[in-house]
Amino acid sequence: MSLSVGDRAPEFSLPDQDKQVVSLTDLRGTPVLLVFYPFAFSGICTGELCQLRDELANYTDAGVEVLAISTDPVFSLKAFKAQEGFEFPLLSDFWPHGEVAKAYGVFNEKAGMAVRGTFLVDAEGAVAFAEVNSPGDPREQSGWKDAVAGLAA
């Protein structure tokens, strides 16, 4: 079962595409948008993350840190980031496989991947927005932007 608004966001530490560890605890005091996605280089995921890249100022201007998380290994994420020019960290939930996605209730055991889960964690570590989309169901990002605007209000 995925998290709901008001739940405490599970803590995690994951390597980014450069093998640098990113910890949710270290970001406390800053709102964080967590964007779980199935696989680097796949069609829908690439489209979603490219839209996020192109509209990143909507989040960074509001003081929100954006983190994208998949179960891909760091080497794939490094190539994906370089190819697409992403300016936000791509975190690897590769090993133990999908543990963070499981903690957020967005891991598909059968396929061994994260599903499209999006969580806005406020500066105190509570979930301020939560949305989970089915496999093959692209996300509409307007809800994330509204949630970010709500934090700033």
Side-chain angles (χ1 to χ4, degrees):
M1 176 152 208
S2 69
L3 300 175
S4 299
V5 171
D7 288 348
R8 190 102 189 121
E11 298 294 337
F12 63 82
S13 294
L14 291 172
D16 69 8
Q17 69 285 334
D18 297 318
K19 300 183 189 175
Q20 300 301 307
V21 175
V22 176
S23 172
L24 189 60
T25 303
D26 292 343
L27 296 171
R28 189 71 65 238
T30 301
V32 180
L33 182 69
L34 303 175
V35 181
F36 289 88
Y37 63 100
F39 297 113
F41 299 105
S42 60
I44 294 172
C45 298
T46 300
E48 288 179 338
L49 293 184
C50 285
Q51 180 182 350
L52 186 58
R53 174 200 64 207
D54 296 345
E55 299 174 357
L56 190 60
N58 290 319
Y59 307 99
T60 57
D61 289 354
V64 175
E65 179 79 25
V66 174
L67 302 175
I69 305 171
S70 75
T71 57
D72 293 300
V74 294
F75 308 106
S76 295
L77 298 179
K78 187 171 186 76
F80 189 39
K81 183 174 183 174
Q83 177 177 304
E84 300 301 338
F86 298 135
E87 295 180 18
F88 46 85
L90 303 181
L91 304 184
S92 175
D93 192 14
F94 184 70
W95 197 258
H97 197 69
E99 284 301 307
V100 175
K102 289 174 189 172
Y104 280 79
V106 295
F107 188 71
N108 180 324
E109 292 278 348
K110 212 173 206 179
M113 66 180 194
V115 297
R116 290 180 174 80
T118 312
F119 302 92
L120 179 61
V121 179
D122 70 18
E124 288 77 45
V127 175
F129 173 85
E131 178 181 69
V132 178
N133 292 57
S134 301
D137 183 15
R139 291 176 262 216
E140 170 53 54
Q141 298 183 16
S142 62
W144 315 354
K145 293 175 194 156
D146 291 345
V148 166
L151 279 184

